[in-house]
Amino acid sequence: MVRAMSRNEQNETAATFGFREVRPEDRQGLVNQVFTTVADRYDLMNDLMSGGLHRLWKNDLVSMLNPPRSDQPFSLIDVAGGTADVALRLLRSGGAGCRAVVCDISPEMLRVGREKVEAAGHAGQVMLVQGNAEALPFPPKSFDAYTIAFGIRNVTHFERALREAYRVLKPGGHFLCLEFSECQVPVLDSLYDLHSFQVIPRLGALVGTGEEPYRYLVESIRKFPPQETFAGMVRAAGFERVTWRDLTGGIAAIHSGWRI
Ligand SMILES: C[S@@+](CC[C@H](N)C(=O)[O-])C[C@H]1O[C@@H](n2cnc3c(N)ncnc32)[C@H](O)[C@@H]1O
């Protein structure tokens, strides 16, 4: 009997870039080209593509993080943190003891993030660091919390990224992953497909980044495992009390796990 290969098995010998099969060693370079191309328009495109929903989803992520409102120290690493959206939300909702590291592989996305952090007056509380989610440049047990928002599906070996998340968290640390997921509502899923494949690439062309980067982004969403499968991968990395919460009918989901 022929069985479709899971994304995990494919990672050993082949990888996908959107719907295209590529060599695993080539994939990150292709992903980096996408974010180099879109960096300056990334925030605008996020609003256009999601109709602003990504803001609500990121607010949900930060409320699940539940940072202390006091001056109690609290350190977050936001991996694939790009333009620093999650880090800035943390600092707005948390107390004076909150600090964030934004770690991203793309210097262009980090440049945009740095400008936003400075404009918001939070430069003293945010460190922006270039690094790969698969090999984070931090010692073990460094952070109270780890977030990754719309980032993990861009990583070639995401089981390596999950192991790294576990490694850099302190015992008692909280892992939260916000990612597009499998829509659970029948009519909504067809509308969502139409929007993803017909509207989003055209929006990319309209804002001047071209259709191709956005074709990759929507295709990569379809290649990402469904909620239950991804929860199993989070557990396999060592996390406990793994749960998830669907957002907007499962168009996105937040997976939560703890390093006990
Ligand atoms: C869709 S953006 C998400 C940005 C931000 N987290 C947000 O929600 O607005 C994906 C980000 O993942 C980053 N990325 C891709 N591969 C990565 C890797 N292996 N390690 C770290 N960051 C990576 C990209 O450079 C990009 O900034």
Side-chain angles (χ1 to χ4, degrees):
M1 195 173 95
V2 179
R3 181 173 64 85
M5 273 196 294
S6 72
R7 165 83 191 261
N8 238 356
E9 290 166 313
Q10 287 181 18
N11 274 337
E12 302 305 323
T13 52
T16 53
F17 175 73
F19 292 161
R20 256 168 64 200
E21 204 162 283
V22 295
R23 295 188 312 169
E25 58 272 34
D26 295 337
R27 186 178 186 274
Q28 188 70 58
L30 294 166
V31 169
N32 295 351
Q33 279 172 26
V34 166
F35 290 101
T36 300
T37 308
V38 304
D40 285 306
R41 303 283 164 86
Y42 178 78
D43 286 338
L44 170 67
M45 269 306 285
N46 251 355
D47 278 333
L48 293 176
M49 276 163 49
S50 73
L53 275 175
H54 77 105
R55 293 171 182 256
L56 304 179
W57 296 337
K58 286 172 181 161
N59 289 346
D60 284 341
L61 179 74
V62 172
S63 66
M64 285 174 74
L65 205 51
N66 193 21
R69 292 343 185 232
S70 63
D71 56 5
Q72 184 190 326
F74 180 83
S75 58
L76 168 75
I77 179 166
D78 182 42
V79 174
T83 61
D85 249 17
V86 170
L88 286 172
R89 276 182 169 70
L90 168 85
L91 295 173
R92 282 187 208 116
S93 69
C98 289
R99 296 286 178 276
V101 168
V102 176
C103 181
D104 196 287
I105 205 163
S106 162
E108 290 78 13
M109 292 291 280
L110 287 173
R111 172 183 50 76
V112 178
R114 190 167 290 111
E115 287 164 10
K116 275 169 66 180
V117 166
E118 283 167 7
H122 285 299
Q125 294 149 286
V126 182
M127 194 164 85
L128 295 108
V129 177
Q130 190 185 1
N132 189 333
E134 295 185 17
L136 293 172
F138 297 97
K141 301 181 185 171
S142 297
F143 299 97
D144 297 304
Y146 174 111
T147 49
I148 183 162
F150 308 116
I152 198 147
R153 73 176 196 282
N154 297 294
V155 173
T156 304
H157 305 99
F158 46 72
E159 66 288 359
R160 289 186 197 163
L162 292 172
R163 284 201 298 269
E164 279 293 88
Y166 189 86
R167 183 184 68 79
V168 299
L169 274 173
K170 296 175 187 170
H174 198 182
F175 166 86
L176 285 167
C177 173
L178 167 60
E179 189 51 91
F180 289 105
S181 205
E182 192 172 79
C183 183
Q184 307 292 317
V185 182
V187 178
L188 185 61
D189 65 354
S190 313
L191 290 173
Y192 177 51
D193 267 0
L194 191 75
H195 177 71
S196 300
F197 291 102
Q198 303 302 328
V199 180
I200 289 177
R202 291 193 174 108
L203 286 174
L206 272 178
V207 302
T209 55
E211 294 194 9
E212 273 321 300
Y214 291 95
R215 237 178 254 299
Y216 157 72
L217 290 174
V218 296
E219 289 175 6
S220 63
I221 291 169
R222 295 306 187 279
K223 300 298 287 185
F224 194 70
Q227 290 84 327
E228 179 74 61
T229 310
F230 185 61
M233 298 176 80
V234 177
R235 279 186 208 103
F239 289 103
E240 296 186 39
R241 290 163 52 198
V242 174
T243 54
W244 73 85
R245 183 170 151 198
D246 284 339
L247 305 171
T248 318
I251 288 179
I254 299 176
H255 281 76
S256 163
W258 295 84
R259 176 172 179 164
I260 305 293

